[in-house]
Amino acid sequence: MSERVSLAEGLEDRARRLVSEVFGVPLATVTLEASQDSIESWDSLNMVNLVMAIEAEFEVSVSIDEAVDLLSVKLILALLREKGLS
Amino acid sequence: MRRPHGWPIGGVRCSVPPNVQRPTGLGVKRSEILQKVAKDSNEAVFRMTRASVPQAPEKPAGYLRRARELEAEFAARSEGARAVRLGVLASFSADLLRPFLVVEADRLGVPLHPWFGGFNQFEQVVFGSDSPLWTQRPDALWIAMRLADVDPAFVDEFPDLGVEVAAERLGVIRRRMVALARAAREHSSATILVSNLAPPPLATVGLFDAGDPNGITHLVTAENRALARDLCAMADVHVFDFAGVVADAGAGTWSDDRFWYMARAGASASNQTVLARCVARSLSALFRSPAKCLVLDLDNTLWGGVLGDDGLASIILGDDYPGSVFKDFQQALLGYRRRGFLLALASKNDPGQVREALDDHPEMVLRTDHFAAIEVGWGPKPASLRRIAEKLNIGLDALVFVDDNPVERATVKAELPMVGVVELPNEPIGYVAALRAFEALDRPRLLAEDRSRAGFYVDEAGRQEVREAAPSVEHFLADLGMVARVGACDAGTIERIHQLVHKTNQFNLTTRRHKLENLQRLAAAPGAAVLWLRLGDRFGDMGLVCVGIVTCAAGDLWEIDTLLMSCRVMGRRVEDAFLAYLAERAAACGARHLRGVYRKTARSTPVRDFYSERGFTLVSHDEEGSVWERDLAAAPLAWPAIIYRVDVGESVPG
């Protein structure tokens, strides 16, 4: 049980770190609630950066329909888990 | 015996007289031009201070992170060392390129600050003089229009168009780009890059399009050629070979449709870095001081094996593998020599054996005569490089070191960080590719004189022999049979003049790095003249070697804004001849007094006493330099008799 929790934390931290780097905001401000509404630079151009970063970091492929829905940290995590990451 | 001219003997000591005030009452047009010239010539020259290129970040996020670090660094920099400002106008979302551009430019030693115009805005940004683009005062401008963005229906409608209409549609795009470049030039002397058009990928046009002489691919290529022609006629405007970059990377995989639909981004993730790298490379080639000489090792670089082991028999070089790899490398190096680079040798070997190999080995492509300098001995390579730079009278930052031994390369990088070092791979089969990929060897435009420069150094050996035989310097000089052609700047000479203005360091009285466009303005302005001198002697033509700019300061006082001479003709009284010519031209325009200015720089000490030695009176001096004057009516300057003079073209209008 505790092992699974620590793996999930691993993924969450990686996702938060990625968001911090892509949108240029301090890691501390990237909570699990962070989204397009709370981060000003979460625009369409930076979402391209986001897709590029996710694909490089997690070695997954993101379709355009999946890409346009990447509007919050939670949605990013949901996608990654769908792709089999944990 | 008279001492050779051009070299100072001791300093000039005198008390500082009061500054002469520049009289007021300049005509408006002249003063505007002169003010602009003074402002624009204070541009920074960016030198490659890194011996090797830092590694690229591995992932896109790495580029974002590194770009932020760099931008913070630039912001913290002092005013004196500012970044290159690049304006980007694109028909796609170019902002995505920002971190890639900044990081790739930094890897090449160019601090870059890009500014992006609004999406797909060209004319709106270029045509207004109060546009944010121009208030930035960019150093460079990139106009990036893509066929697919500007005429998206072209490929689909093509079958119905017919060749004239199709060509005209492409022509409209090209003429638009040229008009933008022209309009940009009206507002700025920035270096301008214009992307050419990438033919659509094979999957789009089909495998049989190339078989139609009026098919899409051929029409686009023809339009690119027309673009190159149009831009050649403009000052400091260059084609950015977008078509070549895309073809090289793979036109079929260039774009990522997802990114286009999400944000009109023009390239896939990996091609963002490719594109940024190529733009950075172009800017680096256009802005940094050029590499001039490839310094080569011998053993396992120009041939396989070690000469010292068993003499000529140990050399692996020939038409079969592995000798053929080295022979091809030598051929490639010869190609660089033809393009105007000098070749030099720095080898730890026995001089006698090296001479034998260069002269007698049947498979050598490069021979003694191909090398402008040869340093063979057992001492350390950095010392050889210093001697080579000194002998060729070029800066260490103009050298590129090519050596198979990583220890030698590391030694040079540590001791001489300004020398470019090619990281040759372990396998010789990769040598040519490593050379081709080395950014410092990029050249924006080849001038005819670059090509013949390598040959000049061999002629010089002939001149040295005469020098040894002549009983006196005057005798030697007269014996050379020098002929000087003099004239005013025109379309045929302006490029060479611009080149000299930018690269001459030692014999340069004011070191004003006028941009090409400034030179054109001065050449056409009344009250100013841009003049040149071309020297030949009985050993050959030495090319255009002197550049002078005189301007009317006020009334009958003219000033020498620029006076420079290529170091290859020092010590021949050519500078006296040219000075006399400048004075004569100024006098013909009404000058009775001539002012000479010396601006001190790190390398111009050889000409500190130039005006003093030629009978000018000191007017003022400070730590920046000195100002001198001569009364031309009372003491005219005479053209030295030992140089025969030919006047070319019409005289300068007054």
Side-chain angles (χ1 to χ4, degrees), chain B residues 230-252:
Chain B
D230 287 346
L231 299 188
C232 266
M234 297 175 64
D236 207 10
V237 182
H238 309 267
V239 170
F240 175 69
D241 189 11
F242 182 63
V245 171
V246 169
D248 223 50

Side-chain angles (χ1 to χ4, degrees), chain B residues 85-98:
Chain B
R85 289 188 287 260
L86 169 71
V88 180
L89 304 180
S91 59
F92 51 92
S93 293
D95 301 55
L96 214 65
L97 285 173
R98 179 194 300 273

Side-chain angles (χ1 to χ4, degrees), chain B residues 466 475-484 535-540 572 642-644:
Chain B
V466 171
H475 196 110
F476 157 69
L477 290 176
D479 216 37
L480 284 177
M482 290 185 279
V483 176
L535 190 72
D537 64 18
R538 65 184 175 96
F539 294 102
R572 295 160 166 253
I642 50 167
I643 303 176
Y644 183 76

Side-chain angles (χ1 to χ4, degrees), chain B residues 20 46 54 63 136 139 182 184 201 203 272 344 374 417 459 461 485 534 548 588 592:
Chain B
V20 170
F46 299 98
Y63 275 91
Q136 311 268 326
D139 304 295
R182 270 204 197 106
Q272 302 279 349
I374 295 181
D459 286 347
R485 286 174 160 70
R534 181 182 200 99
R592 289 172 58 90

Side-chain angles (χ1 to χ4, degrees), chain B residues 179-206:
Chain B
L180 284 165
R182 270 204 197 106
R185 182 52 78 235
E186 303 276 310
H187 289 99
S188 158
S189 52
T191 298
I192 300 175
L193 286 170
V194 180
S195 285
N196 58 11
L197 301 173
L202 221 47
T204 306
V205 298

